Amino acid sequence: MLRTNQKFLDFIQGIYDSEQNRHNIVLKSFAKGQKLLYQDQAAPNVMLIQSGFTKCFFNEENDKEFIVEFLGKGEIVGEIESIRQMPCLCNIEAITSVSAFVIPSAYFQELLNKDLNLNKLLLEAFAERIVNTSSRASFQQLYTVEHSLSKLLELQTKQEIQLSKEEMAAYLGISVRTLNRSLKNMNS
């Protein structure tokens, strides 16, 4: 439910701490509610979350949100767009205060061409996403909404974050009305 990647964070932190690379990577802060990336817009940078939590979501044609994932420290965003040289697939929005390493796409491409460790970390991150996506899909098919909701509520408590009902419904792929019904059933 909340993805993190300490190995990737350590790797990028090491590059950032190097004097020769200091001018290529910037550490930027984002306030709660601020977007790091915008769906369908150009992504001039790749970002790696140093601290805080974000949500990765699509805005559907009917103006509904569908939250794909919650991302925490060490998660990379904008890399697919940089590699494929395409507009952003989804929005990335801070749900807490966030610090992120901002890497210009040109420099990210340069690192990809010369650093095998970066390529290995990216392959691991892509593989993890595939596993998580398929696991989540099967989980949603096999378990009740109430079970998924209880896991989401546990995450909120554990991470000390507050999600709105709209965000919870968007993550679970249900309406707010169904969410309210499920919350009522859980409290009965």
Side-chain angles (χ1 to χ4, degrees):
M1 291 191 155
L2 174 65
R3 304 293 169 217
T4 61
N5 189 332
Q6 189 62 49
K7 284 198 295 189
F8 221 139
L9 178 59
D10 293 342
F11 177 79
I12 296 298
Q13 184 74 53
I15 293 174
Y16 176 76
D17 290 342
S18 165
E19 282 299 319
Q20 67 191 36
N21 296 313
R22 183 56 65 98
H23 63 283
N24 292 314
I25 300 176
V26 175
L27 186 59
K28 185 174 177 183
S29 296
F30 297 87
K32 178 181 177 178
Q34 188 176 0
K35 286 188 180 164
L36 286 71
L37 294 175
Y38 293 84
Q39 181 177 332
D40 297 326
Q41 292 188 10
N45 303 303
V46 174
M47 296 183 208
L48 188 110
I49 301 166
Q50 183 200 41
S51 65
F53 303 112
T54 65
K55 64 179 179 178
C56 172
F57 66 99
F58 293 100
N59 274 14
E60 298 296 337
E61 291 176 12
N62 61 2
D63 284 331
K64 300 260 186 203
E65 279 185 14
F66 176 73
I67 298 177
V68 178
E69 204 60 77
F70 296 106
L71 307 172
K73 66 180 184 173
E75 287 296 312
I76 189 166
V77 297
E79 78 289 355
I80 292 171
E81 293 82 355
S82 177
I83 291 168
R84 301 212 48 212
Q85 297 180 359
M86 60 186 278
C88 290
L89 294 169
C90 55
N91 296 293
I92 306 292
E93 183 179 304
I95 57 174
T96 66
S97 295
V98 169
S99 293
F101 293 108
V102 178
I103 308 163
S105 285
Y107 183 62
F108 180 74
Q109 293 291 332
E110 186 181 315
L111 287 173
L112 275 178
N113 288 326
K114 68 179 184 182
D115 195 319
L116 187 59
N117 287 326
L118 175 60
N119 284 277
K120 287 179 182 178
L121 287 168
L122 270 176
L123 280 174
E124 288 175 18
F126 292 153
E128 184 71 15
R129 286 181 190 167
I130 292 168
V131 168
N132 291 335
T133 300
S134 60
S135 295
R136 181 173 171 203
S138 65
F139 188 87
Q140 287 179 327
Q141 290 294 316
L142 296 172
Y143 294 96
T144 64
V145 170
E146 284 81 8
H147 184 77
S148 298
L149 178 57
S150 70
K151 294 292 185 191
L152 186 57
L153 293 171
E154 283 177 31
L155 171 71
Q156 283 191 108
T157 301
K158 183 178 176 185
Q159 298 297 328
E160 298 178 355
I161 56 174
Q162 189 64 38
L163 301 174
S164 69
K165 284 186 176 182
E166 289 79 10
E167 288 171 323
M168 288 190 283
Y171 181 75
L172 295 170
I174 59 176
S175 67
V176 174
R177 183 177 177 186
T178 301
L179 174 70
N180 286 330
R181 194 174 321 123
S182 296
L183 285 167
K184 184 179 176 184
N185 289 341
M186 289 174 64
N187 292 326
S188 296

